[in-house]
Amino acid sequence: MNPDHTYFTVSINPIANKADLSVLFSGEGKPVPLHQWGPAVHDYYLIHTVLSGEGVFEIRNRTYRCGPGDTFVIFPGELFSYIADADRPWHYVWVAFVGRAVGMTLSSMGVTPENAVISGSISRSIRHLYRRIRSSFQQSEYPVLEDLKAGGWLRLLLSELGQTNGHRLTDKRAAESDIERQIGQAIRYLELQYTQPVSIESLAHSLGYHRTYLCKMFKQSIGLSPMQYLLKIRMERAKQLLKTSMTIDQVASSVGFNDALYFSKQFRKWSGVAPSAYRKQHLSYSCHIIE
């Protein structure tokens, strides 16, 4: 038993993973009155959800009094401290995690070092998700699968917390116009679907706009029409693939062209040289660098 807690349990990820999102450890505890941590810094993200009782959390010179249903977030490299209440010390669950995309994910949820507490985040499903994260690490013979499982439960937990924090998401969305959000969605669609036959008519319909209006607003936003932007994506990707051992036919197919001759024509118009010439130039340059 941890001497600073009347109840304490923790589960630890057996492998170190620096993926987009990976759990390090997760636990549950009931600290004794006035149990304090910090001021200190961590090199990982750590969130606590209060199940009962109260305590105080401080970060970025802001003080939050947290009670049942509140979740406070510790950010890596940020000085923080927290202390359990003298009369009603909190009972909380926690999960620590790392990942390349974590900061962006939390920011998109409206959670930042300046707004580090999510209020009203206790529910049966959130308790369940914390339990599933902890139970993922059973010291099986497949630790990589344990890591994947825990990461999946963590994503669901963050989604639940994001739903609770919906008012901040609404405020963030209000700063953008509807068409700006739709243009962003159109850009994302083209960046992900460039290998497929793309119909701007269908894209506009799915977004709820007339094709002409979408094209006009798209060009005002990024300076290119949707089809020009799609071609740009395809040609830039083709340049990368032409530096490999793939054939021209394979490159064409990989960037959304069923006809290699038509691809070559479009590539020449875009870059000023044929795909084969571009490849030769690159190979010659590479050989020169090696020599």
Side-chain angles (χ1 to χ4, degrees):
M1 174 68 68
N2 187 313
D4 294 328
H5 292 70
T6 59
Y7 173 77
F8 181 89
T9 182
V10 64
S11 297
I12 297 176
N13 190 339
I15 66 174
N17 191 340
K18 297 297 184 180
D20 289 338
L21 193 64
S22 182
V23 175
L24 297 178
F25 57 86
S26 183
E28 179 177 350
K30 296 180 180 179
V32 298
L34 297 179
H35 166 261
Q36 182 171 350
W37 191 278
V41 297
H42 287 328
D43 59 359
Y44 48 79
Y45 295 87
L46 178 61
I47 63 176
H48 293 70
T49 297
V50 182
L51 303 181
S52 63
E54 297 179 349
V56 173
F57 170 61
E58 294 186 12
I59 189 171
R60 286 278 179 101
N61 296 317
R62 291 193 64 180
T63 300
Y64 305 85
R65 186 157 194 85
C66 301
D70 292 333
T71 294
F72 59 93
V73 183
I74 294 167
F75 290 77
E78 293 285 347
L79 191 67
F80 73 91
S81 66
Y82 57 85
I83 183 170
D85 187 73
D87 300 316
R88 298 180 62 248
W90 45 21
H91 169 198
Y92 47 43
V93 285
W94 66 84
V95 58
F97 50 97
V98 293
R100 295 183 294 269
V102 175
M104 185 178 299
T105 298
L106 291 175
S107 178
S108 70
M109 293 166 51
V111 181
T112 65
E114 293 78 19
N115 292 287
V117 171
I118 303 172
S119 299
S121 56
I122 189 62
S123 69
R124 184 174 299 177
S125 61
I126 286 180
R127 289 179 186 234
H128 172 73
L129 290 169
Y130 273 106
R131 285 196 297 270
R132 296 308 297 260
I133 292 172
R134 294 198 303 276
S135 66
S136 296
F137 305 122
Q138 301 294 342
Q139 297 185 348
S140 74
E141 57 183 316
Y142 303 112
V144 172
L145 300 184
E146 292 182 357
D147 176 66
L148 286 172
K149 184 187 295 184
W153 290 119
L154 175 59
R155 289 177 183 275
L156 291 174
L157 173 62
L158 293 177
S159 175
E160 286 287 329
L161 293 174
Q163 292 288 334
T164 303
N165 214 37
H167 66 283
R168 290 187 189 167
L169 298 177
T170 301
D171 291 344
K172 188 173 182 179
R173 285 175 62 88
E176 298 179 295
S177 69
D178 183 65
I179 186 62
E180 286 174 332
R181 290 192 294 273
Q182 299 289 39
I183 292 301
Q185 187 172 339
I187 290 172
R188 183 68 173 158
Y189 179 89
L190 295 175
E191 289 175 342
L192 293 175
Q193 297 297 314
Y194 70 90
T195 63
Q196 305 297 321
V198 174
S199 166
I200 303 304
E201 188 76 39
S202 297
L203 175 59
H205 179 74
S206 69
L207 296 176
Y209 293 102
H210 189 276
R211 183 183 191 279
T212 303
Y213 180 72
L214 177 66
C215 290
K216 176 183 176 182
M217 299 307 295
F218 195 100
K219 190 165 186 176
Q220 285 184 4
S221 177
I222 67 169
L224 297 171
S225 71
M227 287 305 297
Q228 288 172 333
Y229 187 72
L230 176 61
L231 182 63
K232 177 178 181 293
I233 295 170
R234 287 173 166 171
M235 294 297 102
E236 292 299 330
R237 179 57 176 157
K239 285 182 176 181
Q240 295 174 352
L241 296 179
L242 286 169
K243 298 173 185 178
T244 71
S245 60
M246 294 175 65
T247 67
I248 302 299
D249 282 356
Q250 290 170 339
V251 171
S253 179
S254 298
V255 297
F257 289 87
N258 294 326
D259 185 338
L261 291 178
Y262 181 65
F263 160 73
S264 296
K265 179 180 179 182
Q266 292 298 312
F267 189 88
R268 182 190 290 271
K269 287 176 61 177
W270 176 266
S271 65
V273 295
S276 56
Y278 179 84
R279 165 171 283 168
K280 185 176 180 180
Q281 289 175 359
H282 173 73
L283 291 177
S284 297
Y285 177 76
S286 298
C287 292
H288 177 72
I289 293 297
I290 292 173
E291 292 173 359

